[in-house]
Amino acid sequence: MASVTPPGLAYEVEHDLARHRFQARIQGYLALLDYQIKRKRMVIIHTEVPEAIAGRGIAGELTKVALRYARDNKYKVVPACAYAEQFFQRHTEYDDLLA
């Protein structure tokens, strides 16, 4: 697993390439974003933040890290989970990544 923590973030984000997952452990809880790669497309299939640490923007940070990875690897993105769909609606600056 490699750390992909953006500068200034208060917690570490790791990229587990083998499991196709971005994750962060915060106060003993695991927040995650799972994805699949299909024909140069990153399909975001699941985003989860435990209720105990919800409301702190963690899912958004995981999504931003995932989208930076997609951009760096020239992937288009398919938001296949409800959170990812809402993220794209709120953050039009990432529209160029949509498949």
Side-chain angles (χ1 to χ4, degrees):
M1 243 180 305
S3 175
V4 290
T5 308
L9 197 59
Y11 47 86
E12 186 173 357
V13 176
E14 297 175 322
H15 188 190
D16 186 340
L17 275 167
R19 296 179 76 186
H20 296 94
R21 172 180 286 178
F22 292 92
Q23 62 186 36
R25 287 199 183 277
I26 302 160
Q27 298 176 329
Y29 295 97
L30 180 66
L32 55 88
L33 180 148
D34 291 322
Y35 67 91
Q36 298 172 342
I37 300 296
K38 296 180 178 180
R39 289 173 276 171
K40 293 297 280 180
R41 291 185 174 174
M42 172 188 269
V43 182
I44 299 175
I45 57 172
H46 181 70
T47 307
E48 180 178 331
V49 176
E51 190 173 326
I53 58 170
R56 301 180 191 181
I58 298 166
E61 289 299 333
L62 291 173
T63 304
K64 289 175 186 176
V65 169
L67 296 179
R68 186 177 72 215
Y69 176 77
R71 183 169 275 134
D72 289 348
N73 288 278
K74 299 184 179 13
Y75 295 138
K76 288 295 186 178
V77 178
V78 178
C81 76
Y83 179 82
E85 288 177 8
Q86 292 172 0
F87 182 92
F88 272 99
Q89 289 172 3
R90 290 190 314 270
H91 297 276
T92 57
E93 67 270 26
Y94 294 101
D95 282 356
D96 64 299
L97 291 174
L98 285 170

Coordinates of all heavy atoms in Angstrom, one line a residue:
M1 N 0.8 -1.2 0.0 CA 0.0 0.0 0.0 C 0.9 1.2 0.0 O 1.9 1.3 0.7 CB -0.9 0.0 1.2 CG -2.3 -0.1 0.9 SD -3.4 -0.1 2.3 CE -2.9 -1.4 3.3
A2 N 0.5 2.2 -0.8 CA 1.3 3.4 -0.9 C 0.4 4.6 -0.3 O -0.8 4.7 -0.5 CB 1.6 3.7 -2.3
S3 N 1.1 5.5 0.4 CA 0.5 6.7 0.9 C 0.3 7.7 -0.3 O 1.2 7.9 -1.1 CB 1.3 7.4 2.0 OG 0.7 8.6 2.3
V4 N -0.9 8.2 -0.4 CA -1.2 9.2 -1.5 C -1.8 10.4 -0.8 O -2.7 11.1 -1.4 CB -2.1 8.6 -2.6 CG1 -1.3 7.6 -3.4 CG2 -3.4 8.0 -2.0
T5 N -1.4 10.7 0.4 CA -2.0 11.8 1.2 C -1.7 13.2 0.5 O -0.5 13.5 0.3 CB -1.5 11.8 2.6 OG1 -1.6 10.4 3.1 CG2 -2.2 12.8 3.5
P6 N -2.7 13.9 0.2 CA -2.5 15.3 -0.3 C -1.9 16.2 0.8 O -2.1 15.9 2.0 CB -3.9 15.8 -0.6 CG -4.8 14.6 -0.6 CD -4.2 13.6 0.3
P7 N -1.1 17.2 0.4 CA -0.5 18.1 1.4 C -1.6 18.7 2.3 O -2.6 19.2 1.8 CB 0.2 19.1 0.5 CG 0.4 18.4 -0.8 CD -0.7 17.5 -0.9
G8 N -1.3 18.8 3.6 CA -2.2 19.5 4.5 C -3.3 18.7 5.0 O -4.1 19.2 5.9
L9 N -3.5 17.5 4.6 CA -4.6 16.6 5.1 C -4.2 16.1 6.5 O -3.0 15.7 6.7 CB -4.9 15.5 4.1 CG -6.2 14.8 4.3 CD1 -7.4 15.8 4.1 CD2 -6.3 13.7 3.2
A10 N -5.1 16.1 7.4 CA -4.8 15.7 8.8 C -4.7 14.2 9.0 O -4.4 13.8 10.1 CB -5.9 16.3 9.7
Y11 N -5.0 13.4 8.0 CA -4.9 12.0 8.1 C -4.3 11.4 6.9 O -4.2 12.1 5.9 CB -6.3 11.3 8.4 CG -7.4 11.9 7.4 CD1 -7.6 11.3 6.2 CD2 -8.2 12.9 7.8 CE1 -8.5 11.8 5.3 CE2 -9.2 13.4 7.0 CZ -9.3 12.8 5.7 OH -10.3 13.3 4.9
E12 N -3.8 10.2 7.0 CA -3.2 9.5 5.8 C -4.1 8.8 4.9 O -5.0 8.0 5.4 CB -2.1 8.6 6.3 CG -1.2 8.0 5.2 CD -0.1 7.2 5.7 OE1 0.1 7.1 6.9 OE2 0.6 6.6 4.9
V13 N -4.0 9.0 3.7 CA -4.8 8.2 2.7 C -3.8 7.3 2.0 O -2.8 7.6 1.6 CB -5.4 9.2 1.6 CG1 -6.2 8.3 0.6 CG2 -6.4 10.2 2.3
E14 N -4.3 6.0 1.9 CA -3.4 5.0 1.3 C -4.2 4.4 0.1 O -5.4 4.4 0.0 CB -3.2 3.8 2.3 CG -2.4 4.2 3.5 CD -2.3 3.1 4.5 OE1 -3.3 2.3 4.7 OE2 -1.3 3.0 5.1
H15 N -3.4 4.0 -0.9 CA -3.9 3.4 -2.1 C -3.5 1.9 -2.1 O -2.3 1.6 -2.2 CB -3.3 4.1 -3.4 CG -4.0 3.6 -4.6 ND1 -3.5 4.0 -5.8 CD2 -5.1 2.8 -4.9 CE1 -4.3 3.4 -6.8 NE2 -5.2 2.7 -6.2
D16 N -4.5 1.1 -2.0 CA -4.3 -0.4 -2.0 C -4.5 -0.8 -3.5 O -5.7 -1.1 -3.8 CB -5.2 -1.1 -1.0 CG -4.9 -2.6 -0.9 OD1 -4.3 -3.2 -1.8 OD2 -5.3 -3.1 0.1
L17 N -3.5 -0.9 -4.3 CA -3.7 -1.2 -5.7 C -4.2 -2.6 -5.9 O -5.1 -2.9 -6.8 CB -2.3 -1.1 -6.4 CG -1.9 0.2 -6.9 CD1 -0.5 0.3 -7.3 CD2 -2.8 0.7 -8.1
A18 N -3.8 -3.6 -5.0 CA -4.3 -5.0 -5.2 C -5.8 -5.1 -4.9 O -6.4 -5.9 -5.6 CB -3.5 -5.8 -4.2
R19 N -6.3 -4.3 -4.0 CA -7.7 -4.3 -3.7 C -8.5 -3.3 -4.4 O -9.8 -3.2 -4.2 CB -7.9 -4.2 -2.2 CG -7.3 -5.4 -1.4 CD -7.5 -5.3 0.0 NE -8.8 -5.6 0.4 CZ -9.4 -5.5 1.6 NH1 -8.6 -5.0 2.6 NH2 -10.6 -5.8 1.8
H20 N -7.9 -2.4 -5.2 CA -8.6 -1.3 -5.9 C -9.3 -0.5 -4.9 O -10.5 -0.3 -5.0 CB -9.5 -1.9 -7.0 CG -8.8 -2.6 -8.1 ND1 -8.6 -3.9 -8.1 CD2 -8.1 -2.1 -9.2 CE1 -7.9 -4.3 -9.2 NE2 -7.6 -3.2 -9.9
R21 N -8.6 0.1 -4.0 CA -9.2 0.8 -2.9 C -8.3 2.0 -2.4 O -7.1 1.8 -2.3 CB -9.4 -0.1 -1.7 CG -9.9 0.5 -0.5 CD -10.1 -0.5 0.6 NE -11.3 -1.2 0.4 CZ -11.8 -2.2 1.1 NH1 -11.1 -2.6 2.2 NH2 -12.9 -2.8 0.8
F22 N -9.0 3.1 -2.2 CA -8.3 4.2 -1.4 C -8.9 4.2 0.0 O -10.1 4.0 0.1 CB -8.6 5.6 -2.1 CG -8.0 5.7 -3.4 CD1 -8.6 5.3 -4.6 CD2 -6.7 6.2 -3.5 CE1 -8.0 5.5 -5.8 CE2 -6.0 6.3 -4.7 CZ -6.7 5.9 -5.9
Q23 N -8.1 4.3 1.0 CA -8.6 4.2 2.3 C -7.9 5.1 3.3 O -6.8 5.5 3.1 CB -8.5 2.8 2.8 CG -7.1 2.2 2.9 CD -7.1 0.7 3.2 OE1 -7.9 0.0 2.8 NE2 -6.1 0.3 4.0
A24 N -8.6 5.4 4.4 CA -8.0 6.2 5.5 C -8.5 5.6 6.8 O -9.7 5.3 7.0 CB -8.4 7.7 5.4
R25 N -7.5 5.5 7.8 CA -7.9 5.1 9.1 C -7.9 6.3 10.0 O -6.9 7.0 10.1 CB -6.9 4.0 9.7 CG -7.1 2.7 9.0 CD -6.4 1.6 9.9 NE -6.6 0.3 9.2 CZ -7.6 -0.4 9.2 NH1 -8.7 -0.1 9.9 NH2 -7.7 -1.6 8.5
I26 N -9.1 6.6 10.6 CA -9.2 7.7 11.4 C -9.9 7.3 12.7 O -10.9 6.7 12.7 CB -10.1 8.8 10.7 CG1 -9.4 9.1 9.3 CG2 -10.3 10.0 11.5 CD1 -10.4 9.7 8.3
Q27 N -9.2 7.6 13.8 CA -9.6 7.2 15.1 C -10.0 5.8 15.2 O -11.0 5.4 15.9 CB -10.8 8.1 15.6 CG -10.4 9.6 15.6 CD -11.6 10.5 15.9 OE1 -12.7 10.2 15.6 NE2 -11.3 11.6 16.6
G28 N -9.3 4.9 14.5 CA -9.6 3.5 14.6 C -10.6 3.0 13.6 O -10.9 1.8 13.5
Y29 N -11.2 3.9 12.8 CA -12.3 3.6 11.9 C -11.7 3.6 10.5 O -10.8 4.4 10.2 CB -13.4 4.6 11.9 CG -14.2 4.5 13.2 CD1 -13.9 5.4 14.3 CD2 -15.2 3.6 13.5 CE1 -14.6 5.4 15.5 CE2 -15.9 3.5 14.7 CZ -15.5 4.4 15.7 OH -16.2 4.4 16.9
L30 N -12.2 2.7 9.6 CA -11.7 2.7 8.2 C -12.8 3.3 7.3 O -13.9 2.9 7.2 CB -11.5 1.2 7.8 CG -11.0 1.0 6.4 CD1 -9.6 1.6 6.2 CD2 -11.0 -0.5 6.0
A31 N -12.3 4.3 6.6 CA -13.1 5.0 5.5 C -12.5 4.5 4.2 O -11.3 4.4 4.1 CB -13.1 6.5 5.6
L32 N -13.4 4.3 3.2 CA -12.9 3.7 2.0 C -13.6 4.1 0.7 O -14.8 4.5 0.8 CB -12.8 2.2 2.1 CG -14.1 1.4 2.4 CD1 -14.9 1.1 1.2 CD2 -13.8 0.2 3.2
L33 N -12.9 4.0 -0.4 CA -13.5 4.1 -1.7 C -13.0 3.0 -2.6 O -11.8 2.8 -2.7 CB -13.1 5.5 -2.3 CG -13.6 5.8 -3.7 CD1 -13.8 7.3 -3.9 CD2 -12.7 5.3 -4.8
D34 N -13.9 2.2 -3.0 CA -13.6 1.0 -3.9 C -13.9 1.4 -5.3 O -14.8 2.0 -5.6 CB -14.4 -0.2 -3.5 CG -14.0 -0.8 -2.2 OD1 -12.8 -0.8 -1.8 OD2 -14.9 -1.2 -1.4
Y35 N -13.0 0.9 -6.2 CA -13.2 1.1 -7.6 C -12.8 -0.1 -8.5 O -12.1 -1.0 -7.9 CB -12.4 2.4 -8.1 CG -10.9 2.1 -8.0 CD1 -10.2 1.7 -9.1 CD2 -10.2 2.4 -6.8 CE1 -8.8 1.4 -9.0 CE2 -8.8 2.2 -6.7 CZ -8.1 1.7 -7.8 OH -6.8 1.5 -7.8
Q36 N -13.1 -0.1 -9.7 CA -12.7 -1.1 -10.7 C -12.1 -0.3 -11.9 O -12.6 0.8 -12.2 CB -13.8 -2.0 -11.1 CG -14.5 -2.8 -10.1 CD -15.7 -3.5 -10.5 OE1 -16.3 -3.2 -11.6 NE2 -16.2 -4.5 -9.8
I37 N -11.2 -0.9 -12.6 CA -10.7 -0.4 -13.8 C -11.2 -1.3 -15.0 O -10.9 -2.5 -15.0 CB -9.2 -0.3 -13.9 CG1 -8.6 0.6 -12.7 CG2 -8.7 0.2 -15.2 CD1 -9.0 2.0 -12.8
K38 N -11.9 -0.7 -15.9 CA -12.5 -1.4 -17.0 C -12.2 -0.6 -18.3 O -12.8 0.5 -18.4 CB -14.0 -1.7 -16.9 CG -14.3 -2.6 -15.7 CD -15.8 -2.8 -15.6 CE -16.2 -3.7 -14.5 NZ -17.6 -3.9 -14.4
R39 N -11.4 -1.1 -19.2 CA -11.2 -0.4 -20.5 C -10.9 1.1 -20.3 O -11.6 1.9 -20.9 CB -12.3 -0.6 -21.4 CG -12.4 -2.0 -21.9 CD -13.6 -2.2 -22.7 NE -14.7 -2.5 -21.7 CZ -15.9 -2.6 -22.0 NH1 -16.4 -2.4 -23.1 NH2 -16.8 -2.9 -21.0
K40 N -9.8 1.4 -19.5 CA -9.4 2.8 -19.3 C -10.5 3.7 -18.6 O -10.5 4.9 -18.8 CB -8.9 3.5 -20.6 CG -7.7 2.8 -21.2 CD -6.5 3.0 -20.3 CE -5.8 4.4 -20.4 NZ -4.7 4.5 -19.5
R41 N -11.3 3.0 -17.9 CA -12.3 3.7 -17.1 C -12.2 3.3 -15.6 O -12.2 2.1 -15.3 CB -13.7 3.4 -17.6 CG -14.0 4.0 -19.0 CD -15.4 3.8 -19.4 NE -15.6 4.6 -20.6 CZ -16.7 4.5 -21.3 NH1 -17.7 3.8 -21.0 NH2 -16.8 5.2 -22.4
M42 N -12.2 4.3 -14.8 CA -12.3 4.0 -13.3 C -13.8 4.0 -12.9 O -14.4 5.1 -13.1 CB -11.5 5.0 -12.5 CG -11.7 4.9 -11.0 SD -11.0 6.2 -10.1 CE -9.4 5.5 -9.8
V43 N -14.3 2.9 -12.5 CA -15.7 2.8 -12.0 C -15.7 2.9 -10.5 O -15.2 2.0 -9.9 CB -16.4 1.5 -12.5 CG1 -17.8 1.5 -12.1 CG2 -16.2 1.4 -14.0
I44 N -16.2 4.0 -9.9 CA -16.2 4.1 -8.5 C -17.5 3.4 -8.0 O -18.6 3.8 -8.4 CB -16.3 5.6 -8.0 CG1 -15.0 6.3 -8.5 CG2 -16.4 5.7 -6.5 CD1 -15.0 7.8 -8.2
I45 N -17.3 2.3 -7.3 CA -18.4 1.4 -7.0 C -18.9 1.5 -5.6 O -20.0 1.0 -5.3 CB -18.0 -0.1 -7.3 CG1 -16.8 -0.5 -6.6 CG2 -17.9 -0.3 -8.8 CD1 -16.5 -2.0 -6.7
H46 N -18.1 2.0 -4.7 CA -18.5 2.1 -3.3 C -17.7 3.1 -2.5 O -16.5 3.1 -2.6 CB -18.3 0.7 -2.7 CG -18.8 0.6 -1.2 ND1 -20.1 0.7 -0.9 CD2 -18.1 0.4 -0.1 CE1 -20.2 0.5 0.4 NE2 -19.0 0.4 0.9
T47 N -18.4 3.9 -1.8 CA -17.7 4.8 -0.8 C -18.3 4.7 0.5 O -19.6 4.6 0.6 CB -17.9 6.3 -1.3 OG1 -17.5 6.4 -2.7 CG2 -17.1 7.3 -0.5
E48 N -17.5 4.5 1.5 CA -18.1 4.3 2.9 C -17.3 5.0 3.9 O -16.0 4.9 4.0 CB -18.0 2.8 3.1 CG -18.5 2.3 4.5 CD -18.5 0.8 4.7 OE1 -18.6 0.1 3.7 OE2 -18.4 0.4 5.8
V49 N -18.0 5.7 4.8 CA -17.4 6.4 6.0 C -18.2 6.0 7.2 O -19.5 6.2 7.2 CB -17.4 7.9 5.8 CG1 -16.8 8.6 7.1 CG2 -16.5 8.3 4.6
P50 N -17.7 5.3 8.2 CA -18.4 5.0 9.3 C -19.1 6.2 10.0 O -18.5 7.3 10.0 CB -17.4 4.4 10.3 CG -16.3 3.9 9.4 CD -16.3 4.9 8.3
E51 N -20.3 6.0 10.5 CA -21.1 7.0 11.1 C -20.3 7.8 12.2 O -20.4 9.0 12.3 CB -22.4 6.5 11.7 CG -23.3 7.5 12.1 CD -24.7 6.9 12.5 OE1 -25.1 5.9 12.0 OE2 -25.3 7.5 13.4
A52 N -19.5 7.1 12.9 CA -18.7 7.8 14.0 C -17.8 8.9 13.6 O -17.4 9.8 14.3 CB -17.9 6.7 14.8
I53 N -17.4 8.8 12.3 CA -16.4 9.8 11.8 C -17.1 10.6 10.5 O -16.4 11.3 9.8 CB -15.1 9.2 11.4 CG1 -15.2 8.1 10.4 CG2 -14.3 8.8 12.7 CD1 -13.9 7.6 9.8
A54 N -18.3 10.4 10.4 CA -19.0 11.0 9.2 C -19.1 12.6 9.4 O -19.0 13.1 10.5 CB -20.4 10.4 9.1
G55 N -19.4 13.3 8.3 CA -19.6 14.7 8.4 C -18.3 15.5 8.4 O -18.4 16.7 8.7
R56 N -17.2 14.9 8.2 CA -15.9 15.7 8.2 C -15.3 15.9 6.9 O -14.1 16.3 6.7 CB -14.9 14.9 9.1 CG -15.4 14.7 10.5 CD -14.4 13.9 11.3 NE -14.9 13.5 12.6 CZ -14.2 12.8 13.5 NH1 -13.0 12.5 13.3 NH2 -14.8 12.5 14.6
G57 N -16.0 15.5 5.8 CA -15.5 15.6 4.4 C -14.5 14.5 4.0 O -13.8 14.7 3.0
I58 N -14.5 13.4 4.7 CA -13.6 12.3 4.5 C -13.9 11.7 3.1 O -13.0 11.4 2.3 CB -13.6 11.3 5.6 CG1 -13.1 12.0 6.9 CG2 -12.8 10.1 5.3 CD1 -13.4 11.2 8.2
A59 N -15.2 11.4 2.8 CA -15.6 10.8 1.6 C -15.1 11.7 0.4 O -14.6 11.2 -0.6 CB -17.0 10.5 1.5
G60 N -15.3 13.0 0.6 CA -14.9 13.9 -0.5 C -13.4 13.9 -0.7 O -12.9 13.9 -1.9
E61 N -12.6 13.8 0.4 CA -11.1 13.7 0.2 C -10.7 12.5 -0.5 O -9.9 12.5 -1.3 CB -10.4 13.9 1.6 CG -10.5 15.3 2.1 CD -9.9 16.4 1.3 OE1 -8.9 16.0 0.5 OE2 -10.3 17.5 1.4
L62 N -11.3 11.3 -0.1 CA -11.0 10.1 -0.8 C -11.4 10.1 -2.2 O -10.6 9.7 -3.1 CB -11.8 8.9 -0.1 CG -11.4 8.5 1.3 CD1 -12.3 7.5 1.9 CD2 -9.9 8.0 1.3
T63 N -12.5 10.8 -2.6 CA -12.9 10.9 -3.9 C -11.9 11.8 -4.7 O -11.5 11.5 -5.8 CB -14.3 11.5 -4.0 OG1 -15.2 10.6 -3.3 CG2 -14.8 11.6 -5.5
K64 N -11.5 12.9 -4.1 CA -10.5 13.8 -4.8 C -9.2 13.0 -5.1 O -8.6 13.2 -6.2 CB -10.3 15.0 -4.0 CG -11.5 16.0 -3.9 CD -11.2 17.1 -3.0 CE -12.4 18.0 -2.9 NZ -12.2 19.1 -1.9
V65 N -8.8 12.2 -4.1 CA -7.5 11.5 -4.3 C -7.7 10.5 -5.5 O -6.9 10.3 -6.3 CB -7.1 10.8 -3.0 CG1 -6.0 9.8 -3.3 CG2 -6.7 11.8 -2.0
A66 N -8.9 9.8 -5.5 CA -9.2 8.8 -6.5 C -9.2 9.5 -7.9 O -8.7 9.0 -8.9 CB -10.5 8.1 -6.3
L67 N -9.8 10.7 -8.0 CA -9.9 11.4 -9.2 C -8.5 12.0 -9.7 O -8.3 12.0 -10.9 CB -10.9 12.6 -9.1 CG -12.3 12.1 -8.8 CD1 -13.3 13.3 -8.7 CD2 -12.8 11.2 -9.9
R68 N -7.7 12.3 -8.7 CA -6.3 12.7 -9.1 C -5.6 11.5 -9.7 O -4.9 11.6 -10.7 CB -5.5 13.2 -7.9 CG -4.2 13.8 -8.3 CD -3.4 14.3 -7.1 NE -3.0 13.3 -6.2 CZ -2.9 13.3 -4.9 NH1 -3.3 14.4 -4.3 NH2 -2.5 12.3 -4.2
Y69 N -5.8 10.3 -9.2 CA -5.2 9.1 -9.7 C -5.8 8.8 -11.1 O -5.0 8.5 -12.0 CB -5.5 7.9 -8.8 CG -5.0 6.6 -9.3 CD1 -3.7 6.2 -9.2 CD2 -5.9 5.7 -9.8 CE1 -3.3 5.0 -9.7 CE2 -5.5 4.4 -10.3 CZ -4.2 4.1 -10.2 OH -3.7 2.9 -10.6
A70 N -7.1 9.0 -11.3 CA -7.7 8.8 -12.6 C -7.1 9.8 -13.6 O -6.7 9.4 -14.7 CB -9.2 9.0 -12.5
R71 N -7.0 11.0 -13.2 CA -6.4 12.0 -14.2 C -5.0 11.7 -14.5 O -4.6 11.7 -15.7 CB -6.5 13.4 -13.5 CG -6.1 14.5 -14.4 CD -6.4 15.9 -13.9 NE -7.8 16.2 -14.4 CZ -8.7 16.7 -13.6 NH1 -8.5 17.0 -12.4 NH2 -9.9 16.9 -14.2
D72 N -4.2 11.3 -13.5 CA -2.8 11.0 -13.7 C -2.6 9.8 -14.7 O -1.6 9.7 -15.4 CB -2.1 10.7 -12.4 CG -1.9 12.0 -11.6 OD1 -2.1 13.1 -12.1 OD2 -1.5 11.8 -10.4
N73 N -3.6 8.9 -14.7 CA -3.5 7.7 -15.5 C -4.4 7.7 -16.7 O -4.5 6.7 -17.4 CB -3.8 6.5 -14.6 CG -2.8 6.2 -13.6 OD1 -1.8 5.5 -14.0 ND2 -2.9 6.6 -12.4
K74 N -4.9 8.9 -17.0 CA -5.7 9.2 -18.2 C -6.9 8.2 -18.3 O -7.3 7.8 -19.3 CB -4.9 9.1 -19.4 CG -3.8 10.1 -19.5 CD -3.0 10.1 -20.8 CE -1.9 11.1 -20.9 NZ -1.5 11.8 -19.7
Y75 N -7.6 8.0 -17.1 CA -8.8 7.2 -17.0 C -10.0 8.2 -17.1 O -9.9 9.3 -16.5 CB -8.9 6.5 -15.7 CG -7.9 5.4 -15.5 CD1 -7.3 5.2 -14.2 CD2 -7.6 4.5 -16.5 CE1 -6.4 4.2 -14.0 CE2 -6.6 3.5 -16.3 CZ -6.1 3.3 -15.0 OH -5.2 2.3 -14.8
K76 N -11.0 7.8 -17.7 CA -12.3 8.4 -17.6 C -13.0 7.8 -16.3 O -12.7 6.7 -15.9 CB -13.2 8.3 -18.8 CG -12.7 9.1 -20.0 CD -12.8 10.6 -19.7 CE -12.5 11.4 -20.9 NZ -12.6 12.8 -20.6
V77 N -14.0 8.5 -15.7 CA -14.6 8.0 -14.5 C -16.1 7.8 -14.7 O -16.8 8.6 -15.3 CB -14.3 9.0 -13.4 CG1 -15.0 8.6 -12.1 CG2 -12.8 9.2 -13.2
V78 N -16.5 6.6 -14.1 CA -17.9 6.3 -14.1 C -18.3 6.3 -12.6 O -17.9 5.4 -11.8 CB -18.2 4.9 -14.7 CG1 -19.7 4.6 -14.6 CG2 -17.7 4.9 -16.1
P79 N -19.1 7.3 -12.1 CA -19.6 7.3 -10.7 C -20.7 6.3 -10.6 O -21.9 6.7 -10.8 CB -20.0 8.7 -10.5 CG -20.4 9.2 -11.9 CD -19.6 8.5 -12.9
A80 N -20.5 5.1 -10.1 CA -21.5 4.1 -10.0 C -22.1 3.9 -8.6 O -22.9 3.1 -8.4 CB -20.9 2.7 -10.5
C81 N -21.6 4.8 -7.7 CA -22.3 4.7 -6.3 C -22.9 6.1 -6.1 O -22.6 7.1 -6.7 CB -21.3 4.4 -5.2 SG -20.2 5.7 -4.7
A82 N -23.9 6.1 -5.2 CA -24.7 7.3 -5.0 C -23.8 8.5 -4.5 O -24.0 9.6 -5.0 CB -25.8 7.1 -4.0
Y83 N -22.8 8.2 -3.7 CA -22.0 9.3 -3.2 C -21.2 9.9 -4.4 O -21.1 11.2 -4.5 CB -21.0 8.9 -2.1 CG -20.2 10.1 -1.7 CD1 -20.7 11.0 -0.8 CD2 -18.9 10.3 -2.3 CE1 -19.9 12.2 -0.5 CE2 -18.2 11.5 -2.0 CZ -18.7 12.4 -1.1 OH -18.0 13.5 -0.8
A84 N -20.6 9.1 -5.2 CA -19.8 9.6 -6.3 C -20.6 10.4 -7.3 O -20.2 11.4 -7.8 CB -19.1 8.4 -7.0
E85 N -21.9 9.9 -7.5 CA -22.8 10.7 -8.4 C -23.0 12.1 -7.8 O -23.0 13.1 -8.5 CB -24.1 9.9 -8.5 CG -24.0 8.7 -9.4 CD -25.3 7.9 -9.5 OE1 -26.4 8.4 -9.0 OE2 -25.3 6.8 -10.0
Q86 N -23.3 12.2 -6.5 CA -23.6 13.5 -5.9 C -22.3 14.3 -5.9 O -22.4 15.5 -6.1 CB -24.0 13.2 -4.4 CG -25.4 12.6 -4.4 CD -25.7 12.2 -2.9 OE1 -25.0 12.4 -2.0 NE2 -26.9 11.7 -2.7
F87 N -21.1 13.7 -5.7 CA -19.9 14.5 -5.7 C -19.7 15.2 -7.1 O -19.4 16.4 -7.1 CB -18.7 13.5 -5.5 CG -17.4 14.2 -5.4 CD1 -16.9 14.7 -4.2 CD2 -16.7 14.5 -6.6 CE1 -15.7 15.4 -4.2 CE2 -15.5 15.1 -6.6 CZ -15.0 15.6 -5.4
F88 N -19.9 14.4 -8.2 CA -19.8 15.0 -9.5 C -20.8 16.2 -9.7 O -20.5 17.1 -10.4 CB -19.9 14.0 -10.6 CG -18.6 13.4 -10.9 CD1 -18.2 12.1 -10.4 CD2 -17.6 14.0 -11.7 CE1 -17.0 11.6 -10.6 CE2 -16.4 13.4 -12.0 CZ -16.1 12.2 -11.5
Q89 N -22.0 16.0 -9.2 CA -23.0 17.1 -9.3 C -22.6 18.3 -8.6 O -22.8 19.5 -9.1 CB -24.4 16.6 -8.8 CG -25.0 15.6 -9.6 CD -26.3 15.0 -9.0 OE1 -26.7 15.4 -7.9 NE2 -26.8 14.0 -9.6
R90 N -21.9 18.2 -7.5 CA -21.4 19.4 -6.7 C -20.1 19.9 -7.1 O -19.8 21.1 -6.8 CB -21.3 19.0 -5.2 CG -22.7 18.7 -4.5 CD -22.5 18.6 -3.0 NE -21.4 17.7 -2.6 CZ -21.5 16.4 -2.4 NH1 -22.6 15.8 -2.6 NH2 -20.4 15.7 -2.0
H91 N -19.3 19.1 -7.8 CA -18.0 19.5 -8.2 C -17.8 19.5 -9.7 O -17.1 18.6 -10.2 CB -16.9 18.7 -7.5 CG -17.0 18.8 -6.0 ND1 -16.3 19.8 -5.3 CD2 -17.6 18.1 -5.1 CE1 -16.5 19.7 -4.0 NE2 -17.3 18.6 -3.8
T92 N -18.3 20.5 -10.4 CA -18.3 20.4 -11.8 C -16.9 20.6 -12.4 O -16.6 20.4 -13.6 CB -19.2 21.5 -12.4 OG1 -18.8 22.8 -11.9 CG2 -20.6 21.3 -12.1
E93 N -15.9 21.0 -11.6 CA -14.5 21.1 -12.0 C -13.9 19.8 -12.4 O -12.9 19.7 -13.1 CB -13.6 21.8 -11.0 CG -13.4 21.0 -9.7 CD -14.4 21.3 -8.6 OE1 -15.6 21.7 -8.9 OE2 -14.1 21.1 -7.4
Y94 N -14.6 18.7 -12.1 CA -14.1 17.3 -12.5 C -14.9 16.8 -13.7 O -14.7 15.6 -14.0 CB -14.2 16.4 -11.3 CG -13.3 16.7 -10.2 CD1 -13.8 17.4 -9.0 CD2 -12.0 16.4 -10.2 CE1 -13.0 17.7 -8.0 CE2 -11.1 16.7 -9.2 CZ -11.6 17.3 -8.1 OH -10.8 17.7 -7.0
D95 N -15.8 17.6 -14.3 CA -16.6 17.1 -15.4 C -15.8 16.5 -16.6 O -16.3 15.6 -17.3 CB -17.5 18.2 -15.9 CG -18.7 18.4 -15.1 OD1 -18.9 17.7 -14.1 OD2 -19.5 19.4 -15.4
D96 N -14.6 17.0 -16.7 CA -13.7 16.5 -17.8 C -13.4 15.0 -17.7 O -13.0 14.4 -18.6 CB -12.5 17.3 -18.0 CG -11.6 17.3 -16.8 OD1 -12.0 17.7 -15.7 OD2 -10.4 16.8 -16.9
L97 N -13.5 14.5 -16.4 CA -13.2 13.1 -16.2 C -14.3 12.2 -16.4 O -14.1 10.9 -16.5 CB -12.7 12.9 -14.7 CG -11.4 13.6 -14.4 CD1 -11.1 13.5 -12.9 CD2 -10.2 12.9 -15.2
L98 N -15.5 12.7 -16.5 CA -16.7 11.8 -16.7 C -16.6 11.0 -18.0 O -16.3 11.6 -19.1 CB -18.0 12.6 -16.6 CG -18.4 13.1 -15.3 CD1 -19.5 14.1 -15.3 CD2 -18.8 11.9 -14.4
A99 N -17.0 9.8 -17.9 CA -17.0 8.9 -19.1 C -18.3 9.1 -19.9 O -19.3 9.5 -19.4 CB -16.9 7.4 -18.7

